[in-house]
Amino acid sequence: MSASPTSPPPPPSSTAIPTSSSPTTLPLRSIPGSYGWPILGAISDRLDYSWFQGPATFFRSRIEKNKSTVFRTNVPPSFPLFTGVDPRVIAVLDCKSSSYLFDMDLVEKKNVLVGDFMPSVDYTGGIRPCAYLDTAEPDHTKVKGYAIDILKRSSKTWVTELVSSMDSLCSTIDTEIAKSGKASYIFPLQRSLFEFLSKAIIGADPKAQPEIAESGYSMIDRWLALQLMPIVPITAFQPLPEILLHSFRYPFWLVSGDYKKLTEFIDKHGNEAIELGMNEFGLSRNECINNLLFILGFNAFGGFSVFLPGLISTVVSDKTGLQEKLRAEVREKIGSSSLNFESVSRLELIPSVIYETLRMNPPVPNAYARARKDFLLKSHDSEFEVKKGELLCCYYQVAMEDPKIFDEPDKFKPDRFVGEKGKELLNYLYWSNGRQTSKPSVSNKQCAAADLVTLSGSLILAYLFQRYDDITGDSGSITALKKATNN
């Protein structure tokens, strides 16, 4: 994928999607690819995906093999022990075909957050959280509306709590650097994230319960790991991961104690958020508590725990002069003024770095949707018949390498989203289960916190370059810091 585009085509619209009787200038093709022999085909694809190739190479190689960004394949988990899971999908791996995953008239999202596999509802207190609900289900409007309202209310304290958590995190790193010349930031970052998000979203301070303050973030790590382990690719130490980690579902009782402590923490200290759901959205107290924990732990903490280390690593390991440009923008447009969403909205390069990080390393790698009815799906060069019930799969990292849209798509370009052309490209940035230019609502499945994520990323980078002149490090550690001369 290396062709250079001129100007991107207009974003696809559901109103422009043809029916079988509509004229089209694209050739109608049978969907290429194969599911292989029963059982054996799924196992072979699973081993390629999780072991021999890894997901990105798995999908890229099949694009080349099939001469198409739309094709049939299998994705994990699969046989022998996942007998209730159908691994067969239609991969959609360009900006045009993958946009159909957002058209709720054509596709549904019931229980397909991570494919045909769904962790036991024991992990979510016996309920199906919003992420597993389809927009046509009555509960979706209530639960998605609740999530949007919670996040809207949290904006009153979001910046204050985020800056406070960054103060604490950076002080910890400063001390460790001074002591040993190197500081790992992954677990300190997670600890800070958990405290910040608990306060901002739930309205509950983990310090009110010492065990939660000390270990709440690791409880969520374990809870997330057991739900997602069957589908997380691990290329190291094979074949042990395939035998021990990818071959069966993990029982909830392994983390039931952690989950009980987290829900009791929310029940005791998050009463205002709970009553909002009960009084304004008609949810039971149990539904509120478990949905709040899913929003806090799965959506917010889990997402930021993937996104922020990638962002930090990109910036601190850069050798091209990016830090100097970021620092100059912060000092020129914000200076030493207090940080807020209005001040970071004046920045251009920093938000572009955030968007480019999300394009190349999306926090949620895969998206799925099931055809609600028969329809015709378009890629850039062909049209395909999709049958009702077939499962579509997008691997965002590869889809966002679309050479018809992005110039030098396999290259990290910090200023890709700067200027008018850059703003146009935001129509094709899909990391949030929707376009960057779209807004989450009760009628779609876009991440309710899509704007908060990008604004928070911008605020974090602005904070770092108010505090430091230079930061050196890698994917897990900071090795050198130079404080800003005015600090």
Side-chain angles (χ1 to χ4, degrees):
M1 291 187 170
S2 59
S4 297
T6 52
S7 59
S13 162
S14 60
T15 59
I17 296 171
T19 64
S20 58
S21 60
S22 301
T24 177
T25 58
L26 296 176
L28 181 63
R29 291 181 61 187
S30 296
I31 299 174
S34 169
Y35 301 126
W37 290 94
I39 301 180
L40 296 179
I43 293 175
S44 175
D45 283 345
R46 165 187 156 180
L47 293 177
D48 279 347
Y49 185 97
S50 298
W51 180 0
F52 301 131
Q53 296 179 314
T57 300
F58 174 89
F59 286 113
R60 290 180 189 129
S61 66
R62 281 154 179 77
I63 290 175
E64 292 299 319
K65 177 181 178 181
N66 294 294
K67 307 301 180 187
S68 173
T69 53
V70 177
F71 54 86
R72 298 185 184 277
T73 190
N74 300 286
V75 294
S78 63
F79 309 103
L81 298 182
F82 286 94
T83 54
V85 177
D86 187 346
R88 297 174 298 174
V89 300
I90 299 172
V92 286
L93 298 171
D94 62 76
C95 288
K96 193 167 187 178
S97 64
S98 61
S99 70
Y100 285 76
L101 273 66
F102 315 140
D103 191 326
M104 301 314 298
D105 291 328
L106 297 178
V107 300
E108 65 167 317
K109 299 278 192 155
K110 183 177 181 180
N111 297 341
V112 295
L113 175 65
V114 290
D116 196 57
F117 165 73
M118 180 181 172
S120 168
V121 294
D122 290 343
Y123 282 97
T124 50
I127 68 160
R128 291 166 57 233
C130 185
Y132 289 103
L133 299 175
D134 179 57
T135 52
E137 297 182 77
D139 283 349
H140 183 270
T141 296
K142 294 192 296 182
V143 179
K144 182 70 176 286
Y146 180 40
I148 291 172
D149 203 355
I150 282 287
L151 292 169
K152 181 179 178 181
R153 291 169 187 252
S154 75
S155 64
K156 299 174 184 177
T157 59
W158 191 275
V159 172
T160 302
E161 296 298 347
L162 179 53
V163 170
S164 176
S165 75
M166 289 299 297
D167 286 340
S168 175
L169 173 63
C170 289
S171 293
T172 299
I173 291 173
D174 290 347
T175 300
E176 188 62 25
I177 289 278
K179 178 181 177 182
S180 60
K182 183 178 182 180
S184 172
Y185 60 80
I186 299 299
F187 292 128
L189 173 63
Q190 285 201 320
R191 187 190 299 273
S192 295
L193 274 174
F194 177 73
E195 182 174 338
F196 148 59
L197 293 168
S198 294
K199 290 179 178 179
I201 296 173
I202 310 298
D205 188 348
K207 291 187 175 69
Q209 290 186 211
E211 185 180 10
I212 297 296
E214 178 65 26
S215 304
Y217 76 94
S218 59
M219 293 178 184
I220 290 182
D221 278 338
R222 291 190 290 268
W223 173 69
L224 289 171
L226 292 194
Q227 292 179 76
L228 300 177
M229 190 66 72
I231 62 168
V232 175
I234 303 173
T235 56
F237 308 111
Q238 291 284 5
L240 293 179
E242 285 311 303
I243 298 170
L244 302 177
L245 303 180
H246 290 161
S247 294
F248 49 84
R249 298 172 186 265
Y250 289 83
F252 171 66
W253 62 261
L254 292 170
V255 291
S256 60
D258 290 343
Y259 194 81
K260 184 172 185 291
K261 291 172 183 176
L262 290 165
T263 54
E264 288 176 346
F265 165 69
I266 293 174
D267 189 18
K268 183 175 181 180
H269 300 285
N271 203 54
E272 183 177 343
I274 294 169
E275 290 189 349
L276 171 70
M278 295 172 65
N279 297 333
E280 297 193 24
F281 293 92
L283 300 171
S284 69
R285 189 173 186 89
N286 180 64
E287 288 174 322
C288 291
I289 292 169
N290 287 286
N291 273 294
L292 283 170
L293 181 50
F294 194 88
I295 294 168
L296 169 67
F298 200 107
N299 298 139
F301 177 84
F304 274 118
S305 291
V306 175
F307 165 55
L308 289 179
L311 174 65
I312 293 169
S313 174
T314 296
V315 172
V316 303
S317 62
D318 180 78
K319 307 297 183 184
T320 68
L322 175 60
Q323 287 196 36
E324 289 84 348
K325 295 175 183 177
L326 297 176
R327 182 177 67 242
E329 182 177 55
V330 172
R331 306 288 170 85
E332 176 187 345
K333 296 187 176 181
I334 299 179
S336 58
S337 302
S338 298
L339 293 173
N340 53 55
F341 288 151
E342 189 280 326
S343 65
V344 297
S345 69
R346 300 197 294 266
L347 305 173
E348 282 191 297
L349 182 59
I350 280 182
S352 181
V353 169
I354 302 300
Y355 296 139
E356 184 72 339
T357 301
L358 290 167
R359 183 185 74 87
M360 297 198 74
N361 297 289
V364 179
N366 298 72
Y368 297 88
R370 195 175 299 282
R372 201 180 291 275
K373 57 186 177 182
D374 294 356
F375 69 93
L376 294 182
L377 178 146
K378 289 182 179 181
S379 67
H380 291 300
D381 53 19
S382 299
E383 195 169 33
F384 306 90
E385 291 183 348
V386 175
K387 298 298 184 182
K388 179 180 179 180
E390 291 190 299
L391 188 64
L392 306 180
C393 168
C394 175
Y395 187 72
Y396 280 133
Q397 181 182 342
V398 173
M400 296 295 97
E401 294 172 347
D402 189 338
K404 300 284 188 181
I405 304 297
F406 298 106
D407 182 37
E408 298 182 282
D410 56 349
K411 179 180 178 182
F412 186 91
K413 301 180 73 171
D415 59 352
R416 187 184 297 277
F417 295 95
V418 170
E420 289 305 312
K421 184 178 179 181
K423 290 178 182 177
E424 174 64 24
L425 287 174
L426 292 176
N427 285 302
Y428 306 93
L429 183 61
Y430 295 165
W431 69 274
S432 63
N433 208 13
R435 304 177 192 283
Q436 184 61 41
T437 51
S438 300
K439 296 297 180 185
S441 73
V442 297
S443 62
N444 64 33
K445 294 299 294 181
Q446 186 164 23
C447 171
D451 288 339
L452 277 176
V453 170
T454 54
L455 285 168
S456 297
S458 294
L459 193 145
I460 288 168
L461 286 189
Y463 176 95
L464 290 175
F465 288 106
Q466 276 191 333
R467 185 178 180 113
Y468 303 108
D469 282 342
D470 188 71
I471 312 169
T472 304
D474 53 33
S475 60
S477 300
I478 302 296
T479 55
L481 293 167
K482 182 180 178 183
K483 288 283 191 74
T485 53
N486 61 343
N487 277 0

